[in-house]
Amino acid sequence: AMVSESPGPGARVPWRRSDEALRVNVGGVRRRLSARALARFPGTRLGRLQAAASEEQARRLCDDYDAAAREFYFDRHPGFFLGLLHFYRTGRLHVLDEL
């Protein structure tokens, strides 16, 4: 007999795995963000997005979501986003004067 990997009727299937990297597109720049790095800052927008319990909840935290590509879109300056990525890696926020 084969064992089914699919959940039974009524089982709750999470919309994303909690350890799944977050795919974001900020002003046309695509990045994959580590779930572990985002979990260090659960009160931030990306931390809340990573922990979102549903697609509907996640959509309220970004500008758009492509379900087929599993990619979140933000209409923001991509240069500023590099500063935010540095924050998630180091815990320190550095902002360039021109931004």
Side-chain angles (χ1 to χ4, degrees):
M2 295 181 76
V3 176
S4 173
E5 292 291 322
S6 61
R12 182 160 156 70
V13 178
W15 79 285
R16 306 180 59 244
R17 290 189 340 264
S18 62
D19 63 343
E20 182 180 344
L22 201 67
R23 297 178 68 177
V24 298
N25 181 323
V26 180
V29 176
R30 289 187 165 101
R31 301 275 185 202
R32 289 174 47 92
L33 309 178
S34 155
R36 187 175 351 140
L38 298 177
R40 289 179 54 211
F41 303 98
T44 64
R45 182 178 292 220
L46 291 176
R48 293 192 324 264
L49 183 59
Q50 175 65 34
S54 68
E55 182 177 326
E56 294 77 28
Q57 186 180 25
R59 283 182 178 274
R60 290 192 293 267
L61 296 166
C62 63
D63 294 321
D64 200 6
Y65 175 65
D66 180 343
R70 300 180 67 80
E71 187 171 70
F72 298 92
Y73 292 88
F74 294 90
D75 186 18
R76 304 289 190 281
H77 189 287
F80 183 70
F81 187 62
L82 294 175
L84 290 178
L85 290 179
H86 182 75
F87 169 75
Y88 282 99
R89 282 193 294 269
T90 66
R92 295 181 185 168
L93 184 59
H94 298 276
V95 180
L96 301 174
D97 289 338
E98 58 268 18
L99 297 177

